């Protein structure tokens, strides 16, 4: 089956600690449902955008900036990778993500690289 990444973007202005605590069981239930259906491949939550570093290389020099590159009202909060029959099934799972009503979820197919002797592993092909 094809795999899809559900890229979770939430408002940069986060929930209060009390709101986070109240929402936590919904995330647990969602992840459990993915596992129970046998479609869960991977998933993680990310630390807030303010903890990020952005790396660029210009003229052979590494440049590191604190935080995300762009000012935005939403930031990458986490992801799931699901193994489902088709895009419609991935969209259905995305619509069930607990924070979708205040943020967004980008659904994108995972690209599969053929193992080609001329290019080496998929990781090398992506580089």
């Amino acid at each position: 089956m094809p795999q899809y990444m559900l890229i979770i973007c939430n408002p940069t202005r986060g929930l209060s600690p009390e709101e986070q605590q109240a929402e936590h069981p919904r995330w647990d239930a969602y992840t459990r449902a993915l596992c129970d259906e046998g479609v869960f491949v991977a998933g993680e939550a990310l630390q807030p955008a303010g903890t990020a570093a952005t790396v660029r290389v210009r003229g052979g020099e590494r440049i590191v900036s604190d935080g995300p590159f762009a000012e935005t009202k939403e930031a990458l909060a986490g992801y799931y990778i699901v193994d489902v029959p088709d895009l419609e099934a991935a969209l259905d799972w995305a619509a069930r993500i607990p924070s979708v009503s205040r943020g967004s979820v980008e659904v994108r197919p995972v690209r599969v690289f053929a193992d080609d002797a001329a290019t080496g592993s998929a990781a090398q092909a992506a580089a």
Side-chain angles (χ1 to χ4, degrees):
M1 283 194 291
Q3 292 183 352
Y4 293 86
M5 181 175 262
L6 310 181
I7 304 165
I8 304 162
C9 294
N10 287 338
T12 53
R13 185 173 181 193
L15 298 176
S16 71
E18 296 79 18
E19 291 169 322
Q20 288 178 7
Q21 186 74 18
E23 189 173 86
H24 191 77
R26 293 179 56 212
W27 286 101
D28 287 343
Y30 178 78
T31 303
R32 194 169 33 260
L34 288 170
C35 293
D36 290 349
E37 290 292 321
V39 300
F40 179 85
V41 175
E44 292 294 339
L46 300 174
Q47 293 291 336
T51 65
T54 299
V55 178
R56 289 176 191 71
V57 175
R58 300 293 185 266
E61 182 181 341
R62 183 182 78 168
I63 303 164
V64 179
S65 303
D66 290 339
F69 175 64
E71 283 291 322
T72 181
K73 294 183 186 219
E74 287 187 346
L76 181 60
Y79 69 92
Y80 285 96
I81 298 176
V82 296
D83 191 0
V84 294
D86 52 34
L87 175 61
E88 191 60 35
L91 294 171
D92 287 342
W93 281 107
R96 293 172 57 185
I97 285 181
S99 64
V100 73
S101 64
R102 68 175 187 281
S104 63
V105 179
E106 180 179 337
V107 178
R108 194 181 298 187
V110 174
R111 188 170 178 183
V112 178
F113 291 92
D115 190 16
D116 185 346
T119 60
S121 71
Q124 291 172 330

